[in-house]
């Protein structure tokens, strides 16, 4: 993502990642050694990234790849930290797009916060932990969300905004909806697919038929999955705060 012709840190990481995957000696993961549904060859990371983003790729396969990426990033930071960040780049740019209109400062600063959130989560991650991709993604999201809150709070404290603008940046006491979804995913109350569907339809206001087409779902299947997700998030919120849900 670039602003006014200036590259942000996410652009720079993506460029370095592309350089790491260029012939004649691209950075690879060995699917033969790792197994678990990965392509049975030494797969260049740019091609592996496309494979992991496919809807039909199982979470067991994704976890296997990401556990190996985390292991290598810990053992050999250069070049594997850049490689891991590049593999997460579609997710990082998705976070930046979701938070963009909530951040009042320079967008390059928001991208830096998001990247640093990912790098901190990468540093703390255990290579054998389950759902490791979700942990890394939501670590990046939380840092970006906290940056939005911080910058908006500074604006209010300095009286730069008028009363109407201040109201725009007011946050509900129960927490941002995306963070609630993140907590539900990490607590395994929701799957990532269910959380993403709730975010797209209920938070971002997308049409169910558009979301269904993009995700390769039937219209009926999309409605059924959304209904299941809504039921689970209600149960999750009730378990967290039964008095308020009553």
């Amino acid at each position: 993502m670039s602003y006014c012709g200036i590259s942000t840190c996410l652009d720079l990481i993506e460029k370095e990642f592309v350089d790491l995957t260029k012939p004649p000696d691209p950075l690879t993961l060995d699917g033969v050694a790792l197994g678990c549904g990965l392509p049975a060859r030494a797969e260049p990371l740019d091609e592996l990234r496309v494979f992991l983003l496919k809807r039909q790729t199982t979470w067991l396969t994704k976890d296997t790849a990401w556990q190996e990426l985390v292991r290598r990033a810990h053992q050999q930071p250069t070049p594997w930290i850049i490689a891991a960040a590049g593999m997460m780049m579609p997710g990082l740019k998705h976070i930046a797009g979701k938070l963009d209109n909530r951040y009042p400062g320079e967008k390059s600063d928001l991208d830096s916060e998001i990247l640093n959130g990912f790098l901190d989560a990468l540093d703390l991650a255990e290579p054998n932990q389950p759902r490791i991709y979700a942990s890394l993604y939501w670590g990046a999201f939380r840092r970006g969300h906290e940056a939005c809150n911080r910058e908006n709070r500074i604006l209010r404290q300095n009286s730069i905004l008028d009363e109407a603008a201040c109201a725009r940046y007011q946050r509900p006491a129960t927490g941002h909806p995306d963070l609630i979804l993140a907590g539900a995913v990490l607590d395994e109350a929701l799957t990532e697919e269910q959380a993403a569907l709730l975010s797209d339809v209920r938070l971002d206001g997308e049409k169910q038929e558009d979301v269904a087409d993009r995700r390769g779902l039937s219209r009926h299947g999309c409605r059924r999955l959304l209904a299941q997700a809504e039921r689970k998030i209600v149960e999750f919120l009730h378990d967290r705060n039964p008095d308020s849900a009553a």
Side-chain angles (χ1 to χ4, degrees):
M1 183 185 316
S2 298
Y3 302 93
C4 302
I6 300 173
S7 293
T8 74
C9 62
L10 298 187
D11 293 306
L12 297 177
I13 291 291
E14 177 67 10
K15 181 179 183 303
E16 291 186 49
F17 176 77
V18 170
D19 288 342
L20 289 173
T21 62
K22 286 181 177 178
D25 189 25
L27 209 59
T28 64
L29 284 186
D30 186 356
V32 175
L34 294 173
C36 292
L38 289 166
R41 57 183 174 274
E43 185 81 343
L45 292 188
D46 56 341
E47 297 178 20
L48 181 62
R49 183 170 72 176
V50 173
F51 175 78
L52 294 180
L53 288 172
K54 292 181 178 180
R55 181 174 174 272
Q56 60 266 36
T57 301
T58 68
W59 279 107
L60 175 62
T61 300
K62 293 177 182 179
D63 258 2
T64 299
W66 272 101
Q67 286 169 352
E68 181 65 13
L69 287 166
V70 169
R71 186 176 296 108
R72 294 194 182 203
H74 288 180
Q75 293 175 351
Q76 190 180 350
T78 303
W80 285 98
I81 288 179
I82 295 295
M87 291 292 289
M88 181 62 72
M89 192 55 60
L92 299 181
K93 290 193 173 184
H94 180 71
I95 294 169
K98 289 181 74 70
L99 296 179
D100 177 64
N101 64 352
R102 304 174 195 163
Y103 189 78
E106 294 292 331
K107 304 311 178 186
S108 58
D109 292 339
L110 175 60
D111 281 7
S112 294
E113 294 282 358
I114 292 167
L115 178 61
N116 286 333
F118 167 77
L119 294 176
D120 286 349
L122 178 65
D123 184 54
L124 294 172
E126 294 293 337
N128 61 346
Q129 73 184 67
R131 311 293 282 185
I132 196 167
Y133 173 89
S135 177
L136 297 173
Y137 177 91
W138 292 115
F141 185 93
R142 276 192 293 269
R143 179 68 67 84
H145 173 75
E146 289 166 1
C148 291
N149 281 351
R150 182 184 66 245
E151 292 303 312
N152 288 320
R153 185 166 59 248
I154 290 172
L155 286 176
R156 291 195 300 272
Q157 290 171 346
N158 292 339
S159 300
I160 296 175
L161 299 175
D162 59 22
E163 184 176 352
C166 284
R168 173 187 173 193
Y169 295 115
Q170 187 65 39
R171 291 289 183 258
T174 54
H176 189 274
D178 273 317
L179 285 182
I180 294 174
L181 293 180
V185 171
L186 293 177
D187 285 354
E188 299 185 348
L190 287 177
T191 67
E192 288 195 20
E193 185 178 20
Q194 289 169 333
L197 189 59
L198 284 172
S199 180
D200 289 344
V201 176
R202 298 308 185 207
L203 301 185
D204 295 345
E206 293 189 54
K207 294 181 179 179
Q208 288 188 37
E209 53 266 31
D210 293 340
V211 174
D213 291 343
R214 187 175 70 250
R215 294 182 175 277
L217 298 170
S218 68
R219 306 297 167 86
H220 173 73
C222 184
R223 286 194 299 272
R224 181 169 53 81
L225 185 61
L226 183 62
Q228 290 173 346
E230 289 172 336
R231 184 170 62 254
K232 287 188 176 182
I233 194 65
V234 168
E235 292 171 354
F236 171 73
L237 292 173
H238 183 274
D239 289 343
R240 283 190 5 167
N241 193 354
D243 291 337
S244 65

